Amino acid sequence: MPSHRYRDVHSRVDVPLASREWPNRMLEHAPLWVPVDLRDGNQALAEPMDPVRKRRFFDLMIAMGYKEIEVGYPSASRTDYDFVRLLADTDIAPEDVTLVVFTPARRELIERTVESIRGVRNPVVIHMYTATAPVWRDLVLGVDRTGLRELILAGGRDVLEFAGDMPNVRFEFSPEVFNLTEPDFALEMCDAMTSLWDASADRPVILNLPATVEVASPNVYADQIEYMHRNLARRDAVILSVHPHNDRGTGVACAELAVLAGAERVEGCLFGNGERTGNVDLVTLGLNLHAQGVDPMIDFSDIDEIRRTVEHCNSIDVHPRHPYVGDLVHTAFSGTHQDAIKKGFAEHRSRAAAESRAASDIAWRIPYLPIDPADIGRSYDAVIRVNSQSGKGGVAFLLESEYGIVLPRRLQIDLAREVQVRTEASGGEVTPAEVRDIFERAYLEDLPVRSIELVDVETTAHTTSVKLRAEGQLRTSTHSGIGPVEALTAALADFGLLIDVRVLHQTSVASGTDSEAITLIEYRSEKSTGWAGGRHRSVLAASLAAVMRAANRAHAELDADTRAVQGDRHEASLSG
């Protein structure tokens, strides 16, 4: 790799910050959020949004609670201009929502932009930008620092000329590619704009400092923001804003550290759409705060509907591993993860019961799940999914969460082996319904031929009478001083079948017939140890059915051994 062709950002931008305060700060409240999907995100789409999609996206952001929205680049296209006019001529935008319009520092484009907002009843921000970094000055604009200063101030004067008397309009300036601009020059231009626009506490100016192309680690961006935060003139009349991109994959970290460093406002896109690798993701930023106990001030309670709308408007699918919203982000396939999650849910329910509170009110501490999926409208259906890497915890969780079937630990292990046979054969995952089917086939399904049949059980205060039929014989036995299950195993012993019930576990089925009981037993026979189950509306009938299923399996094993011995003797006689 020709790494020698590139230089570390420190060699290009030396931030004069001898000490820094941001590493000792904590995120304690949400910044001002400004989604730029309708402008910055839209211009990065292969097929920009038509008016219908723009309107749907705008309505979504209003419903989520965003109070400042960049609505377009009116001088760039007729579609954007018409959309801003739609907002001006109707009451689509609630009165407390600030609309932001974007323009370069060019007189005719500024004039066109001001025309688009004339008559808007909402608060409006005119956002003027110019690239300030050396490479852009040299290669794109062809001016030096002095020439660029005059270009920017001329644009600022044009903004005042066309919109300075509009009482509902404020101003924003972005030194584009701020993060690659010399700190002293960025500070000089920002102070010049706040002076020109006469920034005051009553009419503050927004200074937006974009990491237009992310080229450094997040701590460098934080240093740059803190330098500006400390040194800006009229600081109490400035709203300090950031606009990180994601070229290095650390846009979210850049935004979070920038807020620690003094930024009060963050521009970005829902799910991180934008040029190249995109703008910073406002959904991830907001839910990161939520996961730390800080109210993001935005409603993410129906994340799937938010995703569907954004995917439709952008014509871009959200990745299944995207933080918080992806289809798989709350899903565990690994056996160790599944076991930990299952135990976490069990402990969560226990704490809720102990405190006599709803589970949704109890502090969240489930392994591997940073937030409760229910907070964002997700069910627990997909929290655990089973494939060949899964273990007993995942299999047990699916049965319990979907059907209310609670398995004892050793049966979890046994069933996991059965499921793994299926998944390794198919190479894919299994659904909850398929896990239940495997469970029923393994433990509740009768053998094709039942060698022994339970005809009747009668109980009185002190005795139990058991009637069995085997190989045409009907035999009744009476047993005193023991329960029906023990009486049945004693009656089976009279037929030469020793069934020792080591564990008897009772559960129920939560779907279908709500009153249906399942009894699961771990048994030891003459040949092996295994599990068998019985299902019935009566708990006793389910328990007796489980014992009989075990007895028939044990009898089938004995028959198989007998046939094997007879076969060996037959072969021996032929060879003799």
Side-chain angles (χ1 to χ4, degrees):
M1 297 293 293
S3 301
H4 64 278
R5 300 174 60 206
Y6 305 98
R7 290 180 296 154
D8 180 77
V9 72
H10 290 283
S11 66
R12 292 179 277 174
V13 179
D14 184 16
V15 185
L17 197 65
S19 63
R20 51 197 49 78
E21 297 177 4
W22 63 262
N24 298 319
R25 294 180 179 145
M26 301 290 288
L27 294 171
E28 297 177 343
H29 58 83
L32 303 172
W33 303 116
V34 185
V36 297
D37 300 81
L38 299 181
R39 194 277 301 175
D40 201 350
N42 186 51
Q43 73 186 34
L45 298 176
E47 181 187 343
M49 285 179 257
D50 57 30
V52 174
R53 285 190 290 158
K54 266 209 163 192
R55 170 70 188 275
R56 181 172 174 182
F57 209 138
F58 181 79
D59 289 344
L60 170 70
M61 291 187 284
I62 295 297
M64 293 174 69
Y66 287 107
K67 297 302 183 183
E68 187 171 344
I69 301 170
E70 192 166 85
V71 294
Y73 192 158
S75 65
S77 74
R78 185 74 200 183
T79 300
D80 273 26
Y81 185 92
D82 288 346
F83 185 72
V84 175
R85 288 311 308 162
L86 175 69
L87 298 176
D89 296 336
T90 66
D91 60 357
I92 292 170
E95 292 184 1
D96 62 344
V97 172
T98 298
L99 309 177
V100 182
V101 288
F102 189 74
T103 180
R106 287 174 51 186
R107 181 176 176 84
E108 69 277 12
L109 301 183
I110 292 169
E111 183 176 17
R112 176 75 168 163
T113 301
V114 174
E115 288 174 6
S116 75
I117 62 169
R118 202 167 296 283
V120 175
R121 65 192 177 105
N122 295 76
V124 176
V125 170
I126 296 176
H127 180 183
M128 188 189 84
Y129 81 97
T130 302
T132 55
V135 173
W136 277 254
R137 294 196 306 258
D138 297 342
L139 303 183
V140 180
L141 301 173
V143 295
D144 59 12
R145 284 173 54 153
T146 301
L148 184 60
R149 176 186 172 88
E150 181 50 39
L151 186 155
I152 292 171
L153 290 174
R157 287 190 289 269
D158 291 335
V159 169
L160 283 177
E161 178 184 341
F162 295 122
D165 60 347
M166 293 182 172
N168 63 327
V169 174
R170 292 186 293 113
F171 308 132
E172 174 179 355
F173 171 62
S174 285
E176 190 191 6
V177 209
F178 156 80
N179 59 322
L180 277 172
T181 301
E182 306 93 330
D184 67 311
F185 185 55
L187 183 64
E188 175 188 338
M189 291 315 308
C190 285
D191 285 345
M193 295 306 293
T194 56
S195 176
L196 174 67
W197 287 338
D198 193 21
S200 66
D202 294 335
R203 196 179 186 182
V205 166
I206 300 165
L207 293 176
N208 185 55
L209 308 177
T212 309
V213 181
E214 189 184 33
V215 294
S217 52
N219 61 296
V220 175
Y221 190 51
D223 281 353
Q224 293 173 312
I225 299 303
E226 183 163 332
Y227 169 77
M228 298 292 286
H229 168 61
R230 288 194 196 181
N231 293 285
L232 282 169
R234 304 193 186 207
R235 181 64 185 90
D236 61 347
V238 167
I239 297 172
L240 191 58
S241 176
V242 292
H243 183 119
H245 275 248
N246 199 44
D247 298 87
R248 300 175 83 251
T250 55
V252 166
C254 280
E256 291 178 334
L257 268 58
V259 171
L260 295 178
E264 304 147 284
R265 180 178 181 271
V266 178
E267 297 184 353
C269 287
L270 274 63
F271 310 127
N273 180 42
E275 299 282 7
R276 304 178 311 281
T277 56
N279 294 281
V280 70
D281 180 359
L282 296 187
V283 176
T284 298
L285 282 171
L287 288 172
N288 280 356
L289 288 178
H290 172 71
Q292 298 173 68
V294 177
D295 186 353
M297 307 300 291
I298 299 296
D299 184 1
F300 296 109
S301 62
D302 191 354
I303 199 70
D304 289 328
E305 176 58 25
I306 295 169
R307 183 188 66 181
R308 283 190 293 269
T309 300
V310 174
E311 286 180 330
H312 169 76
C313 294
N314 288 340
S315 298
I316 297 175
D317 291 339
V318 172
H319 194 280
R321 296 291 184 191
H322 195 100
Y324 299 107
V325 70
D327 286 335
L328 298 177
V329 296
H330 299 121
T331 301
F333 288 101
S334 160
T336 54
H337 289 209
Q338 293 172 345
D339 187 56
I341 291 170
K342 179 178 179 293
K343 290 173 179 174
F345 272 114
E347 193 270 345
H348 190 80
R349 289 191 295 269
S350 296
R351 278 190 292 129
E355 298 178 28
S356 299
R357 296 165 63 192
S360 58
D361 294 332
I362 300 297
W364 184 257
R365 55 171 199 168
I366 305 294
Y368 298 110
L369 294 178
I371 68 168
D372 185 347
D375 290 349
I376 54 176
R378 289 277 179 87
S379 70
Y380 299 128
D381 294 350
V383 167
I384 287 179
R385 287 161 61 178
V386 173
N387 64 12
S388 60
Q389 302 300 311
S390 305
K392 63 184 184 304
V395 171
F397 180 88
L398 291 187
L399 284 179
E400 183 174 350
S401 62
E402 290 287 323
Y403 305 110
I405 300 172
V406 180
L407 304 182
R409 180 176 174 80
R410 285 199 295 276
L411 181 52
Q412 293 176 23
I413 297 170
D414 196 77
L415 177 58
R417 295 192 193 102
E418 299 282 347
V419 172
Q420 192 166 35
V421 170
R422 170 81 67 89
T423 56
E424 287 182 345
S426 67
E429 62 176 293
V430 292
T431 65
E434 289 171 326
V435 170
R436 179 172 175 175
D437 179 66
I438 294 168
F439 165 76
E440 292 183 349
R441 287 176 182 272
Y443 308 110
L444 298 175
E445 190 172 88
D446 286 325
L447 295 174
V449 177
R450 286 184 292 175
S451 305
I452 304 175
E453 181 183 357
L454 177 62
V455 177
D456 190 30
V457 172
E458 293 183 359
T459 60
T460 64
H462 304 289
T463 64
T464 300
S465 175
V466 179
K467 185 179 296 184
L468 294 170
R469 178 183 292 113
E471 299 176 353
Q473 299 180 32
L474 188 63
R475 185 179 300 176
T476 302
S477 57
T478 302
H479 310 270
S480 301
I482 56 176
V485 172
E486 293 87 346
L488 177 57
T489 58
L492 289 167
D494 291 342
F495 273 101
L497 277 175
L498 300 177
I499 301 297
D500 176 19
V501 178
R502 307 175 71 182
V503 172
L504 188 146
H505 174 85
Q506 291 172 337
T507 184
S508 60
V509 181
S511 61
T513 52
D514 291 341
S515 61
E516 193 173 48
I518 293 178
T519 298
L520 299 160
I521 64 168
E522 185 180 23
Y523 67 91
R524 181 169 58 192
S525 67
E526 185 177 339
K527 290 292 181 182
S528 65
T529 298
W531 287 88
R535 177 171 48 193
H536 199 275
R537 291 181 179 274
S538 159
V539 172
L540 175 58
S543 300
L544 297 176
V547 174
M548 289 306 301
R549 194 159 283 112
N552 276 288
R553 292 180 180 183
H555 192 271
E557 289 174 351
L558 289 174
D559 281 351
D561 286 348
T562 300
R563 288 193 297 273
V565 170
Q566 291 174 343
D568 290 343
R569 289 175 179 170
H570 181 64
E571 289 183 10
S573 65
L574 291 176
S575 61

